[in-house]
C-alpha cells in the first residue's frame, strides 16, 4: 500500500481527499459508502432503482461504494423474499441483472471503485434451508441451521468463488467478503457456533480454515487487480466472543492470502451493545481499528457513527484507519462528499443515526428502506423534485420538520415560499428532541434546515402567528398548514394539580422536577423524558469512556468480544422514576426495533420502574393513585409528567378554506396518531414534488 500525493491538499480535509494506492489500483479518496441492504436487491426491477441510487452517490465523488449484501447461493440468502427474487449472484442471468447497476455507476463516475458485498447469512438465514458449521440456533433466528458436511463446506466455498467471478464479469471492481456479525464465515470462527471436532473446528487454526479457504478460492477465481476486501469482527461485543489474538491472527492470515483491504466491523447481530444508534458517540470504535492497523500492512477500513467529514478527517489524522466507511450518511445526503470537497459542510444533511427509516424498515420488512431526513433515498426514480414550470406563491404555516421540508423543497423547485413560525425558532418539536441525552444529533437537522432556508430563498417569518384574513390578503395560491401538535391532556381527577406538568415544560426545564416522578405514558416521548430525568452528568453520546462504562466495553484490554466479564456501570440521577402505561403489553413496544431495546435496558439499569395495565384514578398531594390489575397502588410522586400522546393543531384549516384558499394539512397537523418525523418529512416531500 502507498499513499499517492495529491496535487493540492484539500484545505479542510487533506487526508480525506488524498488518494490511496493498492497495488495498481487507486482509490481517489478515503471515503467509502459502506454496505447497506436496501430491499431493492429483492425486487425484479430493483436494479434500475439501485442504479439510480448508487449513481447519484457515485456522481458526487465518493471513492468507493460497497453494495448491500448479495448471497453466493440459496442457502445464504437472508430469507425468502415475498417477490420471489432473491439477492443472489450465481448465474449469468443474475450477473446481467447486476450489469445494469455497474454500467450506470461507472458511467456516473468512471474512477469510482464499485464493490459487491458477498454475504452468506449462514445461521442467520431466515428459512429452513439455513446452514452452519454446527446445528446451533442463533438466539435471533427461529431456524436451526443444518450442520454442513465436508462436501457441503467445499460446495459453499466454491459458491463464494463463483459469486466473485460473476461479480467481476458483471463489472464490479472488487468484492467485500463479510466475515463478521454472526453470518456463515464468522459462525465458523467462534467456538460457541462451531462445535465441530474435524479439521473445520476445535482449535482456532481449524475454525479459521473456512475463512481462509473462501479467500483462497475467491482470489483464484478473479483477476490479480480485482480488489478483495474482507470484513472482520474487530470487536464482536459477544460474551465469550473472539479474543484480540484471534482477530489479529485472522487478519494476518488473510493478508498472506492476498486480501487487498481489511474492513473492521463491531458487532454480531445478537450482541447486547448498541453500535450504530444515535446514543453511540461519533467514531466510538475507531480506536480498535487503529490497533488492528498496527498489525497488518494492507489498508484498513473503519466505520460506525462517522457522519460528518470532520469526524472522518480526525479519524484519519489520528492514524485509526486508511479508509473511512460511512453508510447511512450517504442515505441522508448523496452529496456528502461533494459538499465537503466544495467547502459546503454546513449544507450537509447529516445522518442522525435514528435508524427509523433505514434499519428499522429493513428489520420490519413492511416498508421500503429510505431515510428520515431524506425520503428520496432509495426512491430516486419515484420522488422527483424537478424545477417547476408553473411557479406559485405559497404560504407555509409552522416551521417544524414538516413545514421546513415542504418549504425548502418547494422553493428549490422554483416556487415562491413564505414560511410563518409562531415561536422564536425553527424546528418545532425537534428543539425538544435535541435536548434528550443521546439525541444531540437532532441539532444537525435544525442546522441543515436553517441553511436550506437561506439557500432556497424561503422567506422566514419568526414569532408570526397568522390568521386566515392575513393569508387571504397576501394573495397566496395555496397554503400548507404544518402547525403540528399539542400535548394531549388526559381526563384524570387532579390533572390540574400543581405537581402535574406537560413533557414540554419538563424538557424545557421550565419548572423544577421533584425527586419522585411519575410519567404518564410510555411512548417515544415518555421514554425520552425518563431518559432525561434519570441520567446523570454528561450525555454518554458525547463521551466515549462513559458510553463504554454504561455498556461494559473494555476498549483498552480487549477481553473476548470486548465485553466478556465486564459489568455495565450507569450513572443514575438521585431520583425515583415510574414510567406508566394503560396497555398491559410490554412497555417500549412502539419504539424502533433496532433501538428500543437499548433505551429500555438503560432505564432499567438506572432503576426506572415500568408499570403496565395502569388505570389512573386521581392525582393529589399524596401522589398518583392508580389501579393495577384490580389492586389499588399509589405512586408517591411529587411530580407527574404527562406524556399521553398528542392532538393535531389545525384550527386554521376551516377559516383558510372558507376564505377561498386551497389549504393542505401535513405532518402532525394532518394526523397526530403515530406521528413521527419520518412521516412528517416524507409527506411534506411528496407534496412538494406534486405542487
Ligand atoms: P411540529 O414539530 O409540532 O411543528 C409545528 C410547528 O408549527 C411548531 O414550530 C409550532 O410553533 C408551529 N405553529 C403551530 N401553530 C402555528 C401558527 N398558528 N402559526 C405559526 N406557527 C405555528 N420523531 C421521530 O421521528 N424520532 C424521534 O426520535 C423523535 N423524538 C422526539 C422526542 C421528543 C422529546 C419530542 C417532543 C418529539 C420527538 N419526535 C420524534 C416527534 C417529532 O419531533 C414530530 O413528529 C415532528 O416534530 C412533527 O413535525 P411537525 O412539523 O408536523 O410538527
Ligand atoms: P405515543 O408514542 O403514541 O405514546 C403515547 C403514550 O400515551 C402511550 O404510552 C399511551 O399508552 C399513552 N396515552 C395515550 N392516550 C392516553 C390517555 N388518554 N391517557 C393516558 N395515557 C394515554 O406518543 P408520544 O410518546 O407522544 O410520541 C409522539 C410521536 O413521536 C410518536 O408517535 C413517536 O413515533 C415519536 N417519537 C419517536 C421517538 C423515537 O425514539 N423513535 C421518540 C419520541 C417520540 P397507553 O394508551 O397504553 O396508556
Ligand atoms: Fe440516518 Fe436515520 Fe436516515 Fe437512517 S433514517 S440514514 S439513521 S438519518
Amino acid at each position: 500500500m502507498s499513499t499517492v500525493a495529491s496535487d493540492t491538499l484539500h484545505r479542510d480535509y487533506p487526508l480525506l481527499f488524498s488518494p490511496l494506492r493498492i497495488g495498481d489500483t487507486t482509490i481517489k479518496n478515503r471515503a467509502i459508502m459502506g454496505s447497506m441492504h436496501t430491499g431493492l436487491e429483492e425486487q425484479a426491477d430493483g436494479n434500475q432503482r439501485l442504479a439510480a441510487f448508487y449513481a447519484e452517490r457515485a456522481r458526487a465523488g465518493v471513492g468507493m461504494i460497497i453494495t448491500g449484501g448479495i448471497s453466493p447461493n440459496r442457502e445464504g440468502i437472508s430469507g425468502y423474499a415475498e417477490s420471489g427474487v432473491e439477492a443472489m449472484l450465481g448465474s449469468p442471468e443474475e450477473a446481467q441483472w447486476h450489469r445494469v447497476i455497474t454500467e450506470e455507476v461507472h458511467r456516473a463516475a468512471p474512477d469510482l471503485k464499485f464493490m459487491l458485498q458477498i454475504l452468506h447469512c449462514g445461521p442467520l438465514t431466515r428459512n429452513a434451508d439455513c446452514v452452519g458449521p454446527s446445528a446451533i440456533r442463533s438466539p435471533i433466528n427461529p431456524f436451526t441451521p443444518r450442520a454442513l458436511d465436508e462436501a457441503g463446506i467445499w460446495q459453499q466455498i466454491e459458491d463464494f468463488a463463483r459469486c466473485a467471478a460473476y461479480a467481476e464479469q458483471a463489472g464490479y471492481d472488487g468484492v467485500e467478503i463479510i466475515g463478521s456479525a454472526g453470518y456463515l464465515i464468522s459462525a465458523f470462527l467462534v467456538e460457541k457456533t462451531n462445535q465441530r471436532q474435524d479439521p473445520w473446528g476445535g482449535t482456532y487454526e481449524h475454525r479459521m480454515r473456512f475463512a481462509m479457504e473462501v479467500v483462497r478460492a475467491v482470489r483464484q477465481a478473479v483477476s490479480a487487480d480485482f480488489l478483495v476486501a474482507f470484513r472482520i469482527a474487530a470487536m464482536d461485543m459477544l460474551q465469550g466472543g473472539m479474543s484480540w489474538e484471534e482477530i489479529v491472527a485472522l487478519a494476518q492470515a488473510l493478508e498472506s492470502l492476498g486480501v487487498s483491504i481489511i474492513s473492521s466491523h463491531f458487532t454480531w447481530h445478537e450482541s447486547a451493545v448498541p453500535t450504530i444508534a444515535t446514543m453511540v458517540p461519533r467514531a466510538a470504535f475507531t480506536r480498535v481499528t487503529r490497533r488492528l492497523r498496527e498489525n497488518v500492512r494492507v489498508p484498513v477500513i473503519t466505520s460506525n457513527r462517522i457522519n460528518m467529514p470532520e469526524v472522518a478527517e480526525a479519524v484519519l489524522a489520528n492514524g485509526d484507519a486508511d479508509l473511512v466507511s460511512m453508510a447511512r450518511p450517504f442515505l441522508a445526503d448523496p452529496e456528502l462528499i461533494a459538499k465537503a470537497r466544495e467547502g459546503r459542510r454546513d449544507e450537509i444533511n447529516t445522518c442522525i443515526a435514528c435508524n427509523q427509516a433505514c434499519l428499522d424498515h429493513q428489520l420490519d420488512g413492511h416498508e421500503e428502506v429510505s431515510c428520515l431526513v431524506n425520503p428520496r433515498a432509495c426512491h430516486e426514480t419515484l420522488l422527483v423534485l424537478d424545477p417547476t414550470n408553473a411557479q406559485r406563491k405559497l404560504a407555509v404555516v409552522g416551521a417544524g420538520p414538516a413545514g421546513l421540508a415542504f418549504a425548502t423543497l418547494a422553493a428549490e423547485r422554483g416556487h415562491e415560499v413564505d414560511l410563518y413560525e409562531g415561536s422564536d425558532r425553527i424546528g418545532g418539536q425537534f428543539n425538544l428532541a435535541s435536548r434528550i441525552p443521546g439525541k444531540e444529533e437532532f441539532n444537525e437537522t435544525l442546522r441543515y434546515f436553517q441553511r436550506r432556508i437561506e439557500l432556497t430563498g424561503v422567506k422566514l417569518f419568526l414569532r408570526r402567528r397568522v390568521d386566515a384574513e392575513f393569508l387571504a390578503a397576501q394573495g397566496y395560491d395555496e397554503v400548507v398548514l404544518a402547525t403540528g401538535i399539542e400535548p394531549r391532556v388526559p381526563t384524570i381527577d387532579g390533572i390540574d394539580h400543581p405537581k402535574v406538568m406537560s413533557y414540554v415544560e419538563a424538557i424545557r426545564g421550565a419548572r423544577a422536577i421533584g425527586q419522585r416522578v411519575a410519567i404518564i405514558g410510555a411512548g417515544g416521548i415518555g421514554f425520552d423524558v425518563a431518559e432525561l430525568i434519570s441520567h446523570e452528568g454528561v450525555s454518554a453520546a458525547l463521551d466515549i469512556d462513559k458510553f463504554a462504562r454504561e455498556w461494559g466495553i473494555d476498549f483498552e484490554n480487549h477481553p473476548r468480544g470486548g465485553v466478556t466479564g465486564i459489568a455495565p456501570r450507569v450513572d443514575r440521577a438521585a431520583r425515583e422514576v415510574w414510567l406508566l402505561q394503560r396497555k398491559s403489553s410490554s412497555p417500549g413496544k412502539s419504539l424502533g426495533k433496532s433501538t428500543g431495546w437499548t433505551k429500555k435496558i438503560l432505564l432499567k439499569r438506572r432503576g426506572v420502574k415500568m408499570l403496565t395495565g395502569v388505570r389512573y384514578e386521581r392525582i393529589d398531594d399524596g401522589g398518583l393513585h392508580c389501579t393495577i390489575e384490580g389492586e389499588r397502588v399509589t405512586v408517591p410522586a411529587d411530580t407527574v409528567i404527562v406524556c399521553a400522546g398528542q392532538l393535531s393543531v389545525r384550527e386554521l384549516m376551516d377559516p383558510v378554506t372558507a376564505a377561498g384558499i386551497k389549504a393542505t394539512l401535513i405532518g402532525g397537523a394532518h394526523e397526530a396518531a403515530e406521528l413521527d418525523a419520518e412521516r412528517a418529512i416524507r409527506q411534506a416531500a411528496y407534496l412538494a414534488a406534486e405542487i
Side-chain angles (χ1 to χ4, degrees):
M1 170 209 23
S2 71
T3 300
V4 181
S6 44
D7 296 343
T8 34
L9 287 179
H10 191 276
R11 197 192 56 181
D12 300 322
Y13 314 112
L15 298 172
L16 185 60
F17 287 107
S18 62
L20 178 75
R21 176 156 305 155
I22 304 173
D24 291 336
T25 304
T26 300
I27 304 174
K28 64 183 169 183
N29 59 49
R30 308 304 180 99
I32 294 179
M33 175 175 160
S35 174
M36 284 175 290
H37 185 85
T38 65
L40 298 175
E41 297 82 358
E42 282 117 0
Q43 293 184 15
D45 66 348
N47 53 353
Q48 309 279 352
R49 286 176 60 186
L50 280 171
F53 167 66
Y54 288 129
E56 196 164 311
R57 276 100 188 137
R59 213 170 283 122
V62 63
M64 175 185 278
I65 292 179
I66 304 176
T67 67
I70 300 292
S71 177
N73 59 25
R74 199 162 162 73
E75 290 101 303
I77 57 178
S78 59
Y80 294 132
E82 274 173 28
S83 62
V85 178
E86 306 298 355
M88 216 158 75
L89 178 54
S91 69
E93 296 73 32
E94 283 157 354
Q96 195 49 40
W97 191 93
H98 282 269
R99 187 156 270 290
V100 172
I101 308 172
T102 58
E103 282 178 356
E104 183 74 21
V105 169
H106 285 311
R107 225 185 339 266
D111 55 353
L112 166 113
K113 298 299 163 215
F114 195 24
M115 311 272 284
L116 176 106
Q117 187 187 72
I118 308 183
L119 164 66
H120 189 309
C121 290
L124 298 187
T125 292
R126 294 180 79 82
N127 64 47
D129 290 339
C130 68
V131 295
S134 303
I136 297 171
R137 190 177 66 78
S138 159
I140 57 170
N141 193 1
F143 297 97
T144 302
R146 169 174 58 85
L148 288 161
D149 59 15
E150 179 78 14
I153 290 177
W154 285 109
Q155 184 60 56
Q156 303 302 317
I157 293 167
E158 205 180 308
D159 292 347
F160 270 94
R162 187 187 55 193
C163 180
Y166 275 126
E168 188 169 13
Q169 271 183 36
Y172 288 103
D173 302 301
V175 290
E176 178 184 73
I177 302 165
I178 183 154
S180 52
Y183 298 127
L184 184 64
I185 295 176
S186 55
F188 270 91
L189 290 167
V190 172
E191 205 169 354
K192 72 173 197 154
T193 44
N194 182 352
Q195 299 277 306
R196 302 176 78 99
Q197 292 305 324
D198 62 1
W200 303 97
T203 63
Y204 186 59
E205 211 183 344
H206 284 177
R207 280 184 272 131
M208 271 198 326
R209 187 171 160 218
F210 183 71
M212 294 180 64
E213 294 297 349
V214 165
V215 169
R216 203 190 314 272
V218 164
R219 202 57 285 177
Q220 278 168 9
V222 296
S223 316
D225 60 352
F226 190 71
L227 295 171
V228 177
F230 190 96
R231 195 155 202 207
I232 198 168
M235 196 178 246
D236 59 32
M237 309 291 166
L238 285 182
Q239 292 290 330
M242 283 174 78
S243 72
W244 181 243
E245 293 70 28
E246 289 173 349
I247 293 160
V248 172
L250 175 64
Q252 291 176 345
L254 295 169
E255 184 176 54
S256 70
L257 289 173
V259 157
S260 339
I261 305 173
I262 289 177
S263 175
S264 38
H265 204 187
F266 300 102
T267 192
W268 265 41
H269 292 316
E270 68 194 60
S271 89
V273 175
T275 52
I276 61 168
T278 191
M279 62 165 61
V280 177
R282 290 176 170 188
F285 300 101
T286 62
R287 56 187 69 193
V288 182
T289 312
R290 181 176 64 230
R291 283 209 303 276
L292 189 59
R293 185 173 181 244
E294 286 160 5
N295 285 280
V296 291
R297 290 182 311 279
V298 292
V300 178
I301 305 175
T302 197
S303 65
N304 288 49
R305 288 289 285 116
I306 300 168
N307 61 349
M308 288 296 274
E310 67 274 16
V311 185
E313 183 69 17
V315 164
L316 294 167
N318 208 30
D320 289 1
D322 302 281
L323 295 153
V324 174
S325 169
M326 295 175 269
R328 296 169 299 166
F330 283 100
L331 290 178
D333 196 332
E335 296 189 333
L336 167 60
I337 290 304
K339 288 176 180 174
R341 196 182 49 237
E342 293 159 16
R344 299 190 287 134
R345 179 222 174 265
D346 57 351
E347 293 177 34
I348 293 173
N349 196 3
T350 306
C351 166
I352 58 174
C354 64
N355 285 353
Q356 284 177 237
C358 53
L359 190 55
D360 286 346
H361 282 200
Q362 195 213 318
L363 295 176
D364 284 343
H366 304 309
E367 281 187 84
E368 289 189 348
V369 165
S370 188
C371 172
L372 180 143
V373 298
N374 172 28
R376 282 196 71 244
C378 303
H379 294 71
E380 286 73 12
T381 56
L382 307 178
L383 176 52
V384 180
L385 290 147
D386 283 343
T388 179
N389 48 19
Q391 195 199 41
R392 321 191 72 200
K393 186 174 171 185
L394 307 172
V396 182
V397 187
L404 289 166
F406 175 82
T408 53
L409 290 171
E412 186 183 57
R413 290 195 57 219
H415 294 298
E416 187 187 333
V417 184
D418 292 346
L419 175 58
Y420 297 98
E421 167 55 45
S423 74
D424 63 354
R425 68 194 61 193
I426 64 161
Q429 294 176 69
F430 261 35
N431 291 300
L432 298 176
S434 63
R435 289 179 178 231
I436 306 299
K439 286 197 166 178
E440 294 80 3
E441 293 285 6
F442 284 57
N443 283 310
E444 295 285 5
T445 307
L446 299 176
R447 182 262 311 147
Y448 166 75
F449 275 123
Q450 186 61 54
R451 185 74 182 117
R452 291 276 298 156
I453 287 173
E454 293 158 16
L455 289 168
T456 56
V458 169
K459 276 197 220 119
L460 172 66
F461 302 90
L462 293 175
R463 297 183 201 86
R464 278 293 280 282
R465 290 199 163 261
V466 290
D467 56 24
E469 209 180 319
F470 171 82
L471 292 168
Q474 306 307 306
Y476 291 115
D477 297 315
E478 238 178 288
V479 172
V480 174
L481 297 173
T483 40
I485 51 80
E486 60 188 4
R488 174 187 285 124
V489 181
T491 318
I492 302 172
D493 203 7
I495 194 75
D496 51 357
H497 192 280
K499 68 170 62 173
V500 180
M501 65 176 80
S502 73
Y503 67 79
V504 178
E505 292 171 295
I507 297 173
R508 284 207 183 125
R511 287 167 58 191
I513 297 171
Q515 292 302 106
R516 290 175 301 176
V517 185
I519 300 174
I520 293 182
I525 293 177
F527 265 78
D528 276 355
V529 167
E531 170 66 32
L532 179 72
I533 64 172
S534 68
H535 98 292
E536 181 65 33
V538 66
S539 164
L542 304 176
D543 179 341
I544 296 178
D545 292 336
K546 181 170 179 179
F547 168 77
R549 248 192 352 266
E550 284 198 338
W551 291 98
I553 307 167
D554 183 346
F555 283 121
E556 295 316 309
N557 301 305
H558 203 132
R560 281 192 175 275
V563 293
T564 303
I566 307 167
R569 284 183 293 128
V570 293
D571 300 339
R572 51 196 273 188
R575 193 175 256 149
E576 251 184 301
V577 180
W578 290 264
L579 182 57
L580 303 99
Q581 70 176 24
R582 297 173 306 176
K583 289 186 282 289
S584 43
S585 55
S586 172
K589 273 239 152 98
S590 64
L591 302 177
K593 214 169 191 164
S594 66
T595 52
W597 61 274
T598 57
K599 296 178 182 187
K600 211 163 152 176
I601 288 179
L602 268 188
L603 293 188
K604 285 199 165 156
R605 285 184 187 153
R606 297 214 198 98
V608 172
K609 293 180 261 303
M610 299 185 194
L611 304 181
T612 60
V614 178
R615 220 175 76 203
Y616 307 109
E617 304 288 358
R618 189 174 81 254
I619 301 165
D620 62 19
D621 291 348
L624 170 62
H625 305 277
C626 327
T627 309
I628 303 178
E629 288 174 7
E631 214 173 291
R632 283 173 186 276
V633 175
T634 296
V635 177
D638 40 37
T639 299
V640 175
I641 303 176
V642 180
C643 307
Q646 309 170 323
L647 302 172
S648 294
V649 173
R650 52 161 77 139
E651 68 266 4
L652 277 174
M653 185 64 185
D654 289 343
V656 169
T657 312
I661 314 173
K662 183 176 177 205
T664 309
L665 294 163
I666 58 171
H670 173 253
E671 172 74 69
E674 294 179 15
L675 167 74
D676 60 14
E678 183 200 341
R679 198 183 81 201
I681 292 176
R682 187 178 57 220
Q683 190 184 26
Y686 277 92
L687 181 65
E690 281 165 20
I691 209 158

